[in-house]
Each structure stands twice: as structure tokens, then as C-alpha cells.
Amino acid sequence: MKKALAIDVGGTKIYNAIINKNGEIISEIEKHSTPKTIKEIITTFKSIIKKHENEIDIVAFSTCGAVNNENTGIVGSTGNIAKEYPQTDFKALSNKPVFVENDANCAAWAEYKIGASKNTRVSVMVTLGTGVGGGIIINDNLLKGQNGAAGEMHFKMYSDKRRKCTCDSWDCFEIYASGTGLKLTAEELLNDKNVTTYDVIDGVKNNNKQMLEIFNRWQNDITNGLIGLANIFDPDCIVLSGSLAEFVNTAEIEHNVNNEIVTTPVKIHKAKAGNYAGMIGAALLALSKGDC
Amino acid sequence: MKKALAIDVGGTKIYNAIINKNGEIISEIEKHSTPKTIKEIITTFKSIIKKHENEIDIVAFSTCGAVNNENTGIVGSTGNIAKEYPQTDFKALSNKPVFVENDANCAAWAEYKIGASKNTRVSVMVTLGTGVGGGIIINDNLLKGQNGAAGEMHFKMYSDKRRKCTCDSWDCFEIYASGTGLKLTAEELLNDKNVTTYDVIDGVKNNNKQMLEIFNRWQNDITNGLIGLANIFDPDCIVLSGSLAEFVNTAEIEHNVNNEIVTTPVKIHKAKAGNYAGMIGAALLALSKGDC
């Protein structure tokens, strides 16, 4: 059975594993800190690839940053990783074929193939972490856009400039629905700059009334964003993934979303493909759509 | 050359014409008032079809309401037309094949084939009329969603319940960017229930400062909505159509949208396929994707 060497590249960690066509991880999972310089990042890639190249059919990168429609490289800039990283020539890293896709897109694909959005026609994945990621699948294809940058969850929740977003624009879904958003909502309601998302989650677990109010406001912001996405895409389901997804009440969100949309009823699911969904999705994409 | 009998069905008027595979209207354009009862609507359809059935290869409906993925009938309810209209058995109306698509989707398709979004990979059309319509084309296919209802421009502009939308939810793009939205913005700023969209447009033409402020606020709402759509779809272009599109400043909108998005630069165009874009798109879709 064909196998891919999956490499997940984030701002702080790089993971790799060998994954087969069924989406099964069939090796140890190796973990590295993401080096600061582009030279060291490339050296890390080369050493991972050299070690495993003979065992696999294709190298599959799941990476931060938008990836072009040819799945060969990165479009634009990418945030907290060496600034030259987007210029990486991925193809040159291996004698085997190399396939590159954005990490949120990869994770959405894993959910679609082996997880929460299996057998759907249209699905939207929203990753609730420090930021918010998005991956949209329509009729067996990732929504990529003209240049591969689609799926950015930067649509406005307000039009009167309340919160500056990480993207430098104002009031994007990301700056409300993310962990950063939850912290900002807590800061605003408690008038306390030092409150953390952990304080809120902990307070919710202990039934603290104020923390519950903050949490519910955050969940309501998520709900309001998903209403828009449901009306735009009429999806079978919306999958919530990322470190904060475990805390939300999907039944409540599903009820409230379906109560407001003009399209047809949508399911809201939590992600099921696990912590390595990015690597699994990259491998499955590479093995089905890549040149191997 | 193959030809379709295109029938455009709106709440107030029904139009029909014969259109060839090039999107050329090759007959008189006939116009009827939309009857009040479903029985009279069906009679109107039958008389149009009987008159032209022998000259054409397929009947192509461009209709109000969301249309299913099989292009045979309407999903859900449709607003200001006989309430039984969604149950219409379109196939039974003719001995020739019958193809049905939503009117905004048809108009978007006409722009894509012969108009402002020709030769694009991803395009979004937004119709600025009494309401707001939407049609999205991705890799040569209309975005239809799980049941055909996709493309609804009901995403929130505010999350704190300011304006009730026609869909019964709050603060949708439609209730800000539509003609109704322009009137409401004028009402709010002038504290006058009797002001009309015409008053605003007229005032703008005469360089009235207050009307210019209202108009700019409305155009800014449109811009804010398009920023979200551009980030979600990374489209080559966004086409603005409908009766109010002629008044907006697309160069200014394009500049402001591109100034705020995290995806790649998008063009903002006015529609070019004309007043009968719905019929033209229905005919072109039916002749290429319909069963004829």
C-alpha cells in the first residue's frame, strides 16, 4: 500500500510520521522544535526526509501559510516562522514527489476522509485555537480560491471598529472566536488585562457565574459567525476543531444556528480525526491528488 | 445551433425569450405580470411553452427561490409569489427537457460566461436590489451546497441586534447592503421614516452633503461585507449587479477591500450581461448541463 512521509510545520513545532493510504500512522511520530532560521528549518526538513525517503512514495507537507493551487509552495507571508520560509523550494527537498497543503486544509481533509465530515457534499471546518483556521470542502475538492488563499475566517462581526484583529483589520471572526478572542472578551467584561483563557475555562468548570457569562458570550460569537457560513455554503456540516473545540456545546450551537439560517439544516460536529489530523490529511491528499 | 426557451420567474413579472448556445437572445422578449394564484401561474407557463416548444431543445427556468441540486424543483419557501409555487412540477410542464436554476445563480453564470467574470476560476456575484442576491462560481461550477440553497448573503454585520432582517434574523448583510438597507440607513441618520432610496440617490447626484454621508455609509457596509467574502473565497473577482450597482464606486470599493483582506487582490466589477442575465444564464446552463 502506498505511503507518505507527512511533515507538519507550525511556528513552534515540526512533526513527522509515515502514513498509509488508509490514513493510518504506521511509524513513530517524531517531534522537533521549529528552528528560528530558515537555514536550520531546511536542514531539519532534509534530515527528516533523508531518514525516511526510501520507505515512502511521496513527501506530504501540512504547513502554516496559504499554499498555491499547484501544491508546490506558499503564497504570501505566514506569521510566526522565519520570514524567508514562504520562499522554500519544497520540490528540491526530496528525490521523491513532494506535495504541500495548508495545515487547516489538511485537517479539514482528514475530517472529511476519516473523521466528522465523512461522506458529506459540502463541509466547513473551523479550528478554534490561539487563532481561527478554516478549511472548506465542496464536492470532493478543497476550496482554494484564485491563488490558494481561500478559507480565511476573517469576516466582520461588527462594522464599527471595536477590536483590532491580528490581521490588522477590525472585528474579524478570528478575533472573537479564537482563544485570543475569549481572553479579550474576558478582559472587557472583567476590566482585567491579566485574565487568561484558562481562568475562564476553569471558572466554567467550577460553575462561576461571571466566567459562564464570558464563555457564553464567546460561544454566541462563534454561533453568529457560523450562521453566516451556513447561509453562504449550505453545508451538510460544520466541524469544530482545535484546542478550544472540546469546551463548546455543539448541540446548543447547532440549535441556535438552525434557528436563524435561511438555508437547510446543518449539523455541528466536533472534530474526530485527532491531534495529527494535519499530517493525516496531508498524506491522504498527497496519495490521492499528488504525483505518485 | 441548440436553443433554449428561457423563462424568468419573479414575484412581479415573468419574462421569456429564446436564447442560443452563444447566449444570444434570438426572439422577441415577452413579458407577463406574475399571476396571484398558482393555477394561473401554471397556465401562464403552459401557454408560453406551448407557443415555443417546437422551436427549442430545452426549457430553462430562472426562478426566485433556491433550486435543488438536480435542477428540477424548488427547495423551501420563496417569499412574494403564490405560496404553492415551490411545489411546482416543472418537468411536467413540457415534452422537452426542463432545467431549473435560481435566478441569482443564473445571472452569475451569465456574467461568468459572457460578462464581467469571464475566464475566472472563482467569482462571487452580489446583486444589490430591493434585497441582496448571491451567486458563487468555483472551478466552472455553481456553489449549490448540500441542498441547493447556498449563496445566501445573510451573514451578520453586527452581533448586537440592531436591525431586523427580512429573514427574521438580525443584522444580515442583506439588510444593510440592499436598497431596503440604504433606506433604513437614511431613516436612521435623518430620523425620517418617509425618506426613500430615490431621495438618497437624487441627493448624491446633487452633491447634498447629508445624502452623500448616508450613501457613503451604505457603500461602506457593502465594502465590509465584501471583505469577508474575499477572505472566505479568495475570488478573482466580485461582480456587483442589480438596480443599485450602477451607483456604487467600484474603484473605491476595490481599493478598500484590497486594503483589508489577508487573501490575494480581488477585482470588483459591475455586471455586464445586462437586464436579461437571468434568462441568458438559465439558457447557457440548461444547454451545457441540462439533459438535451
Side-chain angles (χ1 to χ4, degrees), chain B residues 16-281:
Chain B
N16 63 276
I18 296 175
I19 295 171
N20 69 19
K21 229 178 154 141
N22 292 339
E24 294 157 342
I25 299 174
I26 55 170
S27 72
E28 292 287 300
I29 294 163
E30 295 170 347
K31 183 174 160 183
H32 324 255
S33 288
T34 305
K36 289 281 165 276
T37 70
I38 185 64
K39 208 177 146 188
E40 294 165 300
I41 291 172
I42 300 291
T43 304
T44 304
F45 288 166
K46 284 188 174 165
S47 104
I48 294 167
I49 290 168
K50 194 177 168 191
K51 183 171 169 190
H52 298 289
E53 202 167 31
N54 292 332
E55 312 162 53
I56 53 103
D57 300 280
I58 191 164
V59 180
F61 279 92
S62 163
T63 178
C64 53
V67 169
N68 64 22
N69 282 316
E70 296 72 36
N71 297 105
T72 56
I74 289 171
V75 179
S77 60
T78 48
N80 62 339
I81 190 166
K83 71 178 190 305
E84 304 89 346
Y85 176 66
Q87 282 83 55
T88 301
D89 181 358
F90 289 92
K91 253 187 162 40
L93 295 170
S94 176
N95 296 320
K96 293 281 168 75
V98 178
F99 181 93
V100 190
E101 186 51 274
N102 166 265
D103 47 11
N105 281 348
C106 288
W109 193 260
E111 294 301 332
Y112 169 61
K113 283 295 176 186
I114 64 162
S117 54
K118 217 172 154 179
N119 299 321
T120 58
R121 187 195 284 259
V122 178
S123 66
V124 175
M125 197 196 70
V126 175
T127 305
L128 307 170
T130 311
V132 170
I136 297 150
I137 295 164
I138 301 167
N139 296 337
D140 213 35
N141 284 298
L142 280 165
L143 173 62
K144 292 281 290 175
Q146 62 163 322
N147 292 312
E152 288 290 344
M153 295 297 165
H154 292 264
F155 47 90
K156 292 184 190 295
M157 302 294 286
Y158 292 93
S159 299
D160 51 1
K161 300 194 179 177
R162 297 176 180 210
R163 273 190 203 172
K164 189 95 175 167
C165 183
T166 51
C167 75
D168 233 33
S169 182
W170 291 89
D171 296 305
C172 300
F173 181 62
E174 160 141 351
I175 202 63
Y176 288 87
S178 60
T180 309
L182 177 55
K183 177 177 160 55
L184 289 171
T185 298
E187 283 184 16
E188 286 169 17
L189 289 179
L190 300 176
N191 201 14
D192 173 4
K193 282 272 174 201
N194 297 315
V195 63
T196 65
T197 54
Y198 179 82
D199 295 335
V200 181
I201 297 299
D202 206 49
V204 168
K205 283 177 184 162
N206 293 313
N207 232 2
N208 176 300
K209 208 180 145 191
Q210 214 167 19
M211 294 306 183
L212 274 167
E213 189 195 335
I214 292 163
F215 184 87
N216 287 335
R217 188 168 300 199
W218 174 72
Q219 188 171 287
N220 194 46
D221 287 334
I222 294 169
T223 302
N224 281 336
L226 301 190
I227 287 165
L229 292 170
N231 278 326
I232 291 170
F233 288 100
D234 185 24
D236 300 76
C237 78
I238 297 175
V239 179
L240 299 177
S241 69
S243 54
L244 287 167
E246 65 170 300
F247 304 112
V248 303
N249 184 335
T250 49
E252 195 173 300
I253 294 175
E254 183 177 298
H255 175 82
N256 291 335
V257 168
N258 285 323
N259 204 32
E260 288 205 39
I261 59 176
V262 294
T263 45
T264 52
V266 57
K267 300 269 181 208
I268 312 287
H269 294 310
K270 289 187 191 183
K272 295 201 305 191
N275 289 335
Y276 303 111
M279 285 201 286
I280 293 168

